[in-house]
Amino acid sequence: MTSELPPLLVMGPPALYSLFQSQNSNKYRFLDAFSSNLPLLQFLQTQQIHPSSVRAILCNPLQPVTADVIRSLPSLGIVVTVSVGSDHIDILECLRRCIHVVTLGTQFTADVADIAVALLIDVHFKISAGDRFARNWGPCKPLASPSGSKLGGKRVGIIGLGRIGGEVAKRLEAFDCIIMYHSRNKNPSVSYTFYSNVVDLASNSDVLVLCCPLTEQTKYIVNKEVMLALGKDGIIVNVGRGALIDEKELVQCLMKGEIRGAGLDVFENEPNVPEELFALDNVVLSPHAAAYTLDCFMDACEHVAKSLDAFFSSKPLIISPIT
Ligand SMILES: O=CC(=O)O
């Protein structure tokens, strides 16, 4: 019976799909390529699936959908990713083959913006560092050093004022922060100061929040020059992609006190996190989990289900713009 279901090649950790899988196990035969160590074609062989019968991939940023993967599946017609970003998918190859690429729309926006603000507050007020301190607080220990200054009035430079960046701005305005931004284009519908140059934005900011997609143009958009321009009182928050920052330089700047701190949800070579960061109290780390609530997952599942249903019944797809 299950062998008659259309195969759905799953590329990404099963935990991310378990909810979707539990709701749709009667519709698709789930092929967990992520947990297999075999090359794709060999894996399919072990499942007795011919490559030409795979028409759909469900993926997430932890496993790339490369041109080689796409080329090995001659009937592939859709790649659905449980993410807003699509940098893990070879989009050019998909375009060349007219393969639909479906990303999430607004399902993760609010949670990611909330976590960006949470990371900033944590780094600024040293909440996680204070938590570690409090657990070993003894009568002879000095109090932790004060956190410096108020969050209100801080100049926050947002890199990428899209849906998530806009929500971060809205939240931080409520904390009386002064918002400024860098984006591909100036947004005429907001009054925040626009900087076309990231170094200029950094020199005029106390905090940089990275919310933009990773592309050839944005890789290492925060390099050493930008970090030095931000300066030793500056904080960086990254909820975009690890490779938006030159991570080696970031580690050096944090260790040398050339910037004040960082709140990081994403890393350049996930799941590897630079070990030097573990000993630093001015860093708050999060395992690419900014959109990790059940609510988000339920919304994402609905979107994925609708997209795959539409594809397999040849109906129009709801396609979010690729960012
Ligand atoms: O990383 C998560 C996403 O792109 O949604």
Side-chain angles (χ1 to χ4, degrees):
M1 169 67 190
T2 49
S3 59
E4 289 159 22
L5 299 175
L8 180 58
L9 186 66
V10 177
M11 300 184 65
L16 286 165
Y17 308 106
S18 53
L19 182 64
F20 177 75
Q21 186 165 0
S22 65
Q23 295 167 345
N24 291 276
S25 57
N26 60 339
K27 282 194 193 157
Y28 306 107
R29 175 164 170 209
F30 287 79
L31 303 172
D32 175 8
F34 183 82
S35 309
S36 159
N37 292 325
L38 295 172
L40 180 59
L41 292 182
Q42 252 174 283
F43 165 70
L44 290 177
Q45 213 172 16
T46 61
Q47 303 296 304
Q48 297 175 326
I49 294 282
H50 192 276
S52 63
S53 60
V54 177
R55 296 180 59 212
I57 290 180
L58 181 60
C59 64
N60 111 310
L62 285 180
Q63 189 172 20
V65 179
T66 60
D68 279 350
V69 166
I70 296 166
R71 284 182 199 133
S72 60
L73 302 170
S75 309
L76 186 66
I78 188 167
V79 178
V80 182
T81 180
V82 189
S83 63
V84 184
S86 56
D87 49 286
H88 53 295
I89 303 168
D90 193 314
I91 298 288
L92 284 182
E93 188 60 21
C94 288
L95 280 175
R96 205 182 61 74
R97 288 261 311 274
C98 297
I99 293 168
H100 300 290
V101 176
V102 178
T103 61
L104 295 181
T106 54
Q107 292 83 357
F108 285 178
T109 306
D111 278 40
V112 177
D114 288 347
I115 293 293
V117 174
L119 286 170
L120 171 57
I121 289 177
D122 194 334
V123 176
H124 180 73
F125 292 107
K126 304 182 181 172
I127 294 174
S128 293
D131 174 276
R132 289 188 290 274
F133 180 87
R135 285 164 198 253
N136 291 300
W137 203 8
C140 300
K141 282 203 165 181
L143 286 174
S145 55
S147 67
S149 54
K150 292 181 200 284
L151 185 58
K154 288 276 175 294
R155 299 161 305 163
V156 178
I158 297 178
I159 300 182
L161 198 75
R163 286 189 293 246
I164 295 172
E167 288 299 310
V168 171
K170 216 163 82 182
R171 284 156 176 69
L172 288 173
E173 271 191 295
F175 284 85
D176 287 335
C177 292
I178 301 155
I179 309 296
M180 42 199 77
Y181 72 105
H182 165 83
S183 258
R184 266 173 301 204
N185 302 305
K186 190 169 178 224
N187 180 345
S189 64
V190 297
S191 57
Y192 314 133
T193 306
F194 169 72
Y195 286 89
S196 58
N197 179 299
V198 181
V199 176
D200 291 343
L201 176 73
S203 337
N204 287 289
S205 298
D206 302 301
V207 176
L208 287 180
V209 184
L210 279 87
C211 300
C212 61
L214 177 64
T215 62
E216 274 173 27
Q217 291 72 38
T218 60
K219 181 166 183 193
Y220 291 173
I221 191 166
V222 172
N223 55 19
K224 184 163 184 186
E225 189 188 0
V226 173
M227 290 184 246
L228 294 181
L230 179 66
K232 62 182 180 39
D233 292 325
I235 291 176
I236 294 178
V237 171
N238 191 1
V239 290
R241 284 290 182 270
L244 294 173
I245 307 183
D246 184 335
E247 199 171 69
K248 286 196 175 63
E249 292 297 348
L250 173 68
V251 169
Q252 289 305 312
C253 284
L254 285 163
M255 290 182 23
K256 293 181 188 157
E258 282 167 338
I259 60 170
R260 184 175 151 220
L264 306 171
D265 181 54
V266 283
F267 304 89
E268 198 169 343
N269 297 304
E270 291 173 10
N272 302 310
V273 177
E275 279 184 24
E276 298 93 321
L277 298 179
F278 300 165
L280 299 181
D281 253 356
N282 54 347
V283 177
V284 177
L285 306 171
S286 159
H288 201 148
Y292 221 69
T293 61
L294 187 56
D295 288 349
C296 266
F297 271 55
M298 286 182 358
D299 291 351
C301 281
E302 201 183 314
H303 183 76
V304 168
K306 277 190 189 152
S307 304
L308 289 172
D309 283 351
F311 172 74
F312 280 106
S313 55
S314 306
K315 297 216 174 95
L317 294 167
I318 324 147
I319 307 261
S320 307
I322 301 282
T323 51

